[in-house]
Amino acid sequence: MDYLDFIDTIQSIADGVLFGATYALLGIGFTLIFGVMHKINLSYAAASIGAAYASLLILAGFKVPPAFVFVLSALCGGVIGGLVYWIGFKFIPLNNPLATLMSTLGLLLLIDEIVVHTTQGVPLAYPVLFSDVIIPAGPFNLRGDLIFVFMLGCICMVLLLLLIYRTRLGIATRAVSQQPVASALCGISTTRVNILTFVITGVLGGIAGAMIGAAIGMLSPLLALPLTVKGLIVCVIGGLGSIPGAILAGLLVGGLENLFQFWRGVSERDLYIMLLLFIFLVFRPGGLFATAPGRD
Amino acid sequence: MDFYLGLIQIIGVHTLLGLSAYCVLQTGQVSLAQAGFFAIGAYVAGMLTVLGHWPLIPALIVAAVLGGATACAVGFPALRVKGLMLVVATTAFGEAVRLFFFNFNYQLERGELKIGPHGGEGFRQIRYFPENGWSTLEVAIFIWVIVVIVMAALWWMDRTRAGAVLRAVGQDEFASQSSGINITAVKVTAMTVGGVIAGIGGGLFAHYTTHIEHVQFGVALASFAIAYPILGGLSNVFGTLIAVIFIQGFLIEGLRFMGDWRNLLFGGLIVLAMNVRPRGLIDENTSALFKRALWPRKDRAGA
Amino acid sequence: MKGLNIAAAALLCGAAICLSDGAAAQERIVKITGFGAKSGVVRVFGVNSEAAMKAAAEVINASGGVTLGDGTKAKLAIEFLDDRCNAEEGISVVRRIAATDAFIAVGPTCSNVAESLFGILQKKVNDPSDSGLQFPIIADVAAKGGLAKISEWAFRNVPSEFEMYKSLFAWLRKTHPNLKSIWGGVEKDFAHSNATFNVMIQQAESNQFQVLGKSEWLLADTTFSTQVREMKRANPEIVVISAHPFTTCGVLREMERQGVKPKLLIGLTSSSSIETLQGCAKQAEGIIIPTSFAPVNAEAQKAATNVAKHGGSADLHSAAAYEIMFILKDVIEKQKIMARPDTVAADRVKMRVGLAGLKTTFGLLGTVGRTEDREAIKPYLYVHAKKGTWQVLHTP
């Protein structure tokens, strides 16, 4: 029995870590926007779910392979990302973080309610990919679809890093994030860079939304708020603006969640997670990859 | 008439919730833990009147003290961090409080019935107001006496040295630190005052809704707590009041005739308001304008 | 909304003129107001309830409407308000309705709203020391056990889950004598699921099933591997799930993934809706759920078509709203409700007395009994999911 308990503990953590890949994808989006604009976009998770919904609704009635739905979700995500920038950020002065906090909160409510109104709030089945693939590893079983999500997260990360460090757009993005005024003086269009950041994170969000839909097998507007909270948690644990940090944090949150689920049961699970998070943030405010604690 | 009085009760309690976040926002900090203090106030006051048969006012005082004490205890470690870190840290604390009440079971046998908080199923029958024959009008007046006292106190504080110190910390931490202000003490004090106000608000909330459960005190409520002062503007306490009236009175009840469109407009109009008035419905300019126009009446409005 | 109502009223008047040849000049309109969640994740409840109330009103009006206390005939008009499943808003909505000439309100859809709402009503009638609202409310959806006990002004026409699961487990004992072990699964942070789960387990045990243990999850959970693994280890013959469609489907998918194949699956009443089948028809195959509505007889089929015509779907919740309209018609006629602005207070008292005095009421599946504490004892049947539809398994 002890052996079984041990196996189950490891398996629980493994399952959680793999599911954490979806949190990681969301965390990257939050962290990227924060890295460039030093703003929180609270509507990000809702927009991601919204993109997944949009792809489903546009293709309702057509028989298409799941991969096509995912690609469409990414495209919808890009469009929604651009819209979010236009509606929630464009006209609000940059030096006013509280105002954008509120406007994106409003957008979160708005996007969620649009989804509710078009679907009556009923959960919808989402196409799945590799869901019947179970990879046995010794006494453990790993979910194929989650490994796929995990790989996808890694690919996104590599692409993003390439984009940020190897392209002109990336240089412009970093310039804007470090010295907005100076970069504007150098002829970089801040608005254009910001819009592109939102579109890129939106595409990423669309992918995340589709992956979440595929991993759960269903979409529900119920997901928006909890995922927003998880995304924020992942974003700060990883260290603001750090993409590898966000990935690691996503997996960590997923794993811990399942570990506490296994140990303490559901009613106490989140209580411990939240207390741990509180302690972590207070004593290591820079996140996992912090250089110097206590700095903003 | 009862309908409007009921709405006035709701506006009063939400104003308290907003003011509790207003105090913390004055120091430039965004705290999502206010819903947690609100929950503590609600459960404590509810348990004292229902299980302990206390009168309401002492129960509210205990709720306020406990709300403040928790806020103070959280403030010391939490306020070391700021910005998004603090947002998430306080969210975590608020959620932890909510989950504590999700697991909290303390029921007493009263005849055949069991009363008291019952974990996930909530805490039912907090009927102090109807059982003691309070009419809706009396409840509304009672709530508003408290709201006016709190608003007057904050208004007064805004105008004293304490208010200046709060704002100084809010606007430039380094400068205020260099001029000898102990910023941790200031922030923790603001948090404590916020906790006291949230505790009272929660106590009132429990009594006019008669039933409380953990779901009510989640992230959504915490977001509203900070939404009120931000939407209303941080220049004075009336901003928060205006924002509560805007959200509870106009967006929720006023737009009811819009039917299905109402909830879509809810988010949309908040976004629009922030676009049009990024510094809040009543920002410094507006309040300066009012002050000039209403100079002779300013004292009355403040008291 | 207002415009729509006027349009609806105009249409009704138009229809009335056609039907009753000019006698329509004195046609009166009695407005019945329903309320419930029409936004947020539970929007579907409000949409269905509204459609059911409108459908029933149409049927009543087509057969002449209701007879008021002064002998005049009146048509029913429906208004439906959204409470967003929020207790404060629910209280506001009812105060708003109580400020009009309404003598009854139908709702709410959410149990947490009902808890608060029934709390602000007067607890015992004729108790002058209690300043609670004196306004009758009859609930159609809010299903958490024992809610109507809170106030003597509160009524419900919701199925008694206690009775349903009591008979279901007794029936299972009889039909599957060789099955023994049960594993439970519950959506822990949803008051209704949680309360019903306790009923299920208690009934299972009193029917000599052996409860091996339970798995718990939360309303918005997305991963269930740990919970299902506990289930897998126990290897139960029967799995009982008390959860709403979203997590029910999530758990069923995970069970498929881990290869947990119990001989029987039991679900929560609320999951016997179309949502479960939209979410996971394949995994839900064979799940048995007791419900108080299925289109099994002519009347129920007609109700289902009528409700669909108004843009909703008839399930155990909205069917209750449909029935309530007929109950109200009955009480209005028996109690001689005047429905005039000057008789509002008296009408409300009469309405309450009438509802409290009911021993049996109209029901789509047969006569519904009423209990002392203002709840319904509704006929029920067991359905199971078969090839993407709900089919009747057994009628006790």
Side-chain angles (χ1 to χ4, degrees):
Chain A
M1 205 58 187
D2 276 337
Y3 173 70
L4 260 182
D5 273 337
F6 175 72
I7 295 289
D8 272 4
T9 315
I10 303 290
Q11 175 80 53
S12 280
I13 298 173
D15 284 339
V17 166
L18 281 178
F19 201 86
T22 58
Y23 302 158
L25 274 177
L26 278 179
I28 296 175
F30 275 104
T31 219
L32 211 60
I33 293 173
F34 194 87
V36 176
M37 296 188 67
H38 297 284
K39 295 275 176 65
I40 313 172
N41 176 8
L42 285 180
S43 68
Y44 185 64
S48 306
I49 298 293
Y53 259 110
S55 65
L56 206 58
L57 294 174
I58 291 172
L59 292 177
F62 296 98
K63 270 246 175 283
V64 287
F68 193 71
V69 184
F70 298 165
V71 172
L72 188 67
S73 171
L75 290 179
C76 293
V79 173
I80 297 177
L83 282 176
V84 165
Y85 175 75
W86 205 260
I87 301 169
F89 286 85
K90 176 91 172 51
F91 303 104
I92 294 175
L94 268 177
N95 59 358
N96 196 343
L98 289 181
T100 47
L101 189 73
M102 261 317 98
S103 65
T104 52
L105 178 68
L107 275 170
L108 165 85
L109 299 173
L110 180 63
I111 294 172
D112 218 26
E113 201 53 39
I114 291 175
V115 167
V116 164
H117 273 254
T118 40
T119 63
Q120 315 283 42
V122 171
L124 294 182
Y126 204 75
V128 289
L129 210 56
F130 306 120
S131 77
D132 42 0
V133 181
I134 303 283
I135 300 164
F140 309 115
N141 288 312
L142 301 177
R143 272 174 68 180
D145 52 347
L146 290 180
I147 291 180
F148 174 66
V149 175
F150 178 67
M151 305 283 268
L152 203 72
C154 294
I155 294 171
C156 287
M157 178 179 77
V158 172
L159 286 180
L160 275 176
L161 290 176
L162 281 179
L163 187 76
I164 291 174
Y165 288 99
R166 290 280 180 275
T167 62
R168 281 177 64 85
L169 172 67
I171 296 171
T173 313
R174 280 182 296 143
V176 170
S177 97
Q178 282 161 10
Q179 283 290 340
V181 180
S183 54
L185 288 175
C186 292
I188 298 172
S189 161
T190 323
T191 315
R192 197 172 140 262
V193 167
N194 286 341
I195 268 210
L196 277 172
T197 313
F198 269 84
V199 172
I200 292 167
T201 51
V203 168
L204 193 71
I207 299 175
M211 288 304 120
I212 290 166
I216 305 169
M218 265 181 310
L219 286 175
S220 163
L222 201 62
L223 292 168
L225 206 55
L227 282 178
T228 305
V229 175
K230 292 238 170 77
L232 282 176
I233 290 174
V234 166
C235 165
V236 295
I237 292 184
L240 295 174
S242 162
I243 295 176
I247 293 207
L248 197 64
L251 305 184
L252 191 72
V253 169
L256 276 177
E257 210 175 51
N258 261 24
L259 183 66
F260 279 108
Q261 165 82 47
F262 183 74
W263 273 352
R264 301 295 314 165
V266 75
S267 22
E268 291 173 32
R269 175 190 79 194
D270 291 2
L271 182 59
Y272 290 114
I273 294 276
M274 290 300 169
L275 286 177
L276 259 187
L277 175 66
F278 182 73
I279 293 165
F280 176 84
L281 285 177
V282 166
F283 291 102
R284 199 172 166 77
L288 286 175
F289 292 147
T291 41
R295 294 269 171 83
D296 234 0
Chain B
M1 196 57 197
D2 261 12
F3 162 63
Y4 291 102
L5 291 172
L7 188 58
I8 284 170
Q9 294 175 8
I10 291 177
I11 290 175
V13 170
H14 280 256
T15 304
L16 289 177
L17 179 66
L19 288 175
S20 83
Y22 170 84
C23 295
V24 189
L25 277 164
Q26 286 289 309
T27 63
Q29 311 302 314
V30 179
S31 159
L32 283 178
Q34 306 306 322
F37 310 139
F38 197 71
I40 291 173
Y43 273 90
V44 167
M47 283 171 67
L48 286 176
T49 58
V50 174
L51 304 179
H53 294 295
W54 284 34
L56 185 58
I57 292 176
L60 284 178
I61 292 173
V62 174
V65 169
L66 276 178
T70 323
C72 184
V74 178
F76 268 109
L79 292 166
R80 289 156 37 115
V81 298
K82 50 191 173 186
L84 183 54
M85 295 296 176
L86 183 69
V87 172
V88 177
T90 47
T91 307
F93 178 78
E95 282 290 278
V97 171
R98 175 179 76 79
L99 291 160
F100 169 76
F101 287 116
F102 173 41
N103 288 298
F104 184 61
N105 222 329
Y106 183 81
Q107 286 204 300
L108 296 182
E109 302 268 354
R110 194 59 52 82
E112 303 167 21
L113 289 173
K114 276 188 163 176
I115 52 170
H118 186 40
E121 292 188 25
F123 180 7
R124 145 191 299 197
Q125 298 275 33
I126 310 171
R127 296 185 79 250
Y128 181 86
F129 287 141
E131 270 166 14
N132 288 282
W134 291 43
S135 71
T136 322
L137 176 68
E138 283 160 346
V139 177
I141 292 174
F142 177 73
I143 290 176
W144 272 89
V145 166
I146 295 177
V147 175
V148 167
I149 292 173
V150 169
M151 279 176 74
L154 287 178
W155 174 268
W156 171 77
M157 195 182 78
D158 271 354
R159 257 134 211 82
T160 59
R161 199 183 132 73
V165 169
L166 282 186
R167 273 166 211 282
V169 173
Q171 272 160 13
D172 195 329
E173 274 191 22
F174 286 113
S176 46
Q177 199 165 17
S178 350
S179 52
I181 295 171
N182 180 347
I183 55 169
T184 314
V186 171
K187 286 181 187 172
V188 172
T189 311
M191 192 84 163
T192 310
V193 173
V196 168
I197 299 173
I200 301 174
L204 291 170
F205 175 83
H207 285 88
Y208 81 70
T209 56
T210 71
H211 168 83
I212 47 178
E213 57 181 42
H214 70 105
V215 191
Q216 293 166 322
F217 306 105
V219 185
L221 188 74
S223 313
F224 273 101
I226 58 161
Y228 296 134
I230 296 178
L231 195 63
L234 290 172
S235 66
N236 65 51
V237 288
F238 292 105
T240 306
L241 176 62
I242 296 285
V244 174
I245 294 174
F246 174 69
I247 290 187
Q248 295 290 336
F250 176 65
L251 290 185
I252 292 185
E253 285 303 327
L255 290 181
R256 199 169 280 293
F257 71 95
M258 302 287 293
D260 266 10
W261 291 95
R262 182 182 65 130
N263 219 28
L264 285 171
L265 283 174
F266 185 80
L269 285 179
I270 290 179
V271 179
L272 184 70
M274 279 342 280
N275 270 301
V276 180
R277 316 258 335 151
R279 303 200 65 82
L281 296 171
I282 299 189
D283 57 11
E284 281 89 353
N285 295 338
T286 334
S287 53
L289 205 74
F290 269 113
K291 240 175 255 171
R292 273 199 298 277
L294 306 171
W295 185 251
R297 292 176 53 197
K298 194 204 90 178
D299 290 34
R300 219 165 67 195
Chain C
M1 197 75 192
K2 220 168 218 165
L4 239 161
N5 275 327
I6 294 169
L11 260 177
L12 284 176
C13 287
I17 289 168
C18 293
L19 283 173
S20 52
D21 267 348
Q26 294 100 32
E27 262 325 335
R28 291 179 55 194
I29 302 267
V30 171
K31 194 164 80 178
I32 305 284
T33 314
F35 63 102
K38 267 191 81 188
S39 39
V41 286
V42 282
R43 173 173 156 86
V44 68
F45 288 127
V47 170
N48 287 344
S49 283
E50 183 180 10
M53 285 174 70
K54 286 193 168 146
E58 200 179 66
V59 173
I60 293 171
N61 290 340
S63 62
V66 294
T67 316
L68 296 177
D70 51 10
T72 52
K73 282 274 185 187
K75 302 287 182 198
L76 295 178
I78 304 296
E79 184 183 29
F80 197 90
L81 299 175
D82 174 22
D83 68 12
R84 255 199 262 232
C85 206
N86 172 305
E88 284 176 306
E89 229 175 285
I91 292 175
S92 271
V93 163
V94 164
R95 287 200 200 279
R96 185 189 274 268
I97 300 171
T100 65
D101 300 341
F103 47 83
I104 181 103
V106 182
T109 52
C110 300
S111 299
N112 63 314
V113 177
E115 289 262 18
S116 287
L117 201 55
F118 294 172
I120 67 158
L121 299 177
Q122 193 182 41
K123 191 166 185 169
K124 292 204 165 21
V125 276
N126 305 325
D127 175 5
S129 70
D130 191 330
S131 65
L133 192 61
Q134 302 179 20
F135 184 69
I137 297 177
I138 179 160
D140 50 351
V141 181
K144 189 173 162 185
L147 280 178
K149 250 188 293 192
I150 297 175
S151 161
E152 291 189 359
W153 291 85
F155 298 86
R156 291 204 303 173
N157 184 35
V158 300
S160 158
E161 295 188 321
F162 176 79
E163 297 292 334
M164 286 165 132
Y165 285 101
K166 186 174 158 192
S167 102
L168 177 68
F169 281 103
W171 179 74
L172 288 177
R173 180 77 287 162
K174 221 163 50 204
T175 48
H176 298 85
N178 48 347
L179 297 185
K180 261 208 90 63
S181 56
I182 283 194
W183 186 270
V186 56
E187 197 174 50
K188 187 80 180 157
D189 61 341
F190 200 101
H192 167 213
S193 312
N194 205 23
T196 311
F197 182 71
N198 296 335
V199 170
M200 292 177 176
I201 291 305
Q202 181 202 336
Q203 289 309 321
E205 276 173 344
S206 58
N207 280 295
Q208 282 88 48
F209 286 103
Q210 184 198 358
V211 180
L212 299 175
K214 60 177 176 177
S215 304
E216 301 175 332
W217 56 85
L218 305 184
L219 187 61
D221 269 7
T222 47
T223 159
F224 306 94
S225 66
T226 308
Q227 290 94 328
V228 173
R229 199 161 313 102
E230 292 165 0
M231 190 186 288
K232 190 179 181 180
R233 251 167 87 164
N235 193 22
E237 289 163 318
I238 305 175
V239 170
V240 179
I241 296 174
S242 178
H244 287 75
F246 180 66
T247 55
T248 299
C249 277
V251 169
L252 291 178
R253 277 171 199 276
E254 184 65 30
M255 282 167 67
E256 187 194 33
R257 215 174 274 129
Q258 296 196 13
V260 182
K261 287 199 190 72
K263 298 201 176 72
L264 278 180
L265 261 175
I266 313 289
L268 178 68
T269 48
S270 297
S271 289
S272 70
S273 60
I274 194 91
E275 298 165 81
T276 313
L277 297 179
Q278 273 175 359
C280 56
K282 189 172 136 240
Q283 288 81 3
E285 184 76 18
I287 190 168
I288 301 172
I289 299 180
T291 174
S292 57
F293 179 79
V296 284
N297 55 32
E299 192 135 25
Q301 272 157 10
K302 202 179 89 190
T305 345
N306 285 338
V307 175
K309 219 165 35 192
H310 282 85
S313 85
D315 55 22
L316 80 160
H317 297 309
S318 54
Y322 192 88
E323 291 165 2
I324 283 175
M325 294 306 294
F326 288 92
I327 298 174
L328 293 184
K329 172 182 188 280
D330 220 36
V331 176
I332 290 172
E333 289 176 351
K334 267 199 210 124
Q335 291 292 319
K336 304 208 180 315
I337 301 290
M338 308 302 278
R340 280 202 316 265
D342 55 320
T343 58
V344 172
D347 281 348
R348 289 177 186 174
V349 174
K350 279 197 268 180
M351 206 66 203
R352 197 210 75 79
V353 172
L355 285 168
L358 290 173
K359 292 278 175 274
T360 57
T361 62
F362 161 79
L364 287 168
L365 293 189
T367 312
V368 175
R370 302 286 309 172
T371 67
E372 280 295 298
D373 45 9
R374 300 168 296 284
E375 304 272 5
I377 310 169
K378 305 184 82 172
Y380 46 82
L381 37 78
Y382 313 143
V383 294
H384 63 164
K386 197 133 207 182
K387 296 198 181 77
T389 55
W390 290 110
Q391 294 186 1
V392 178
L393 177 69
H394 176 71
T395 317

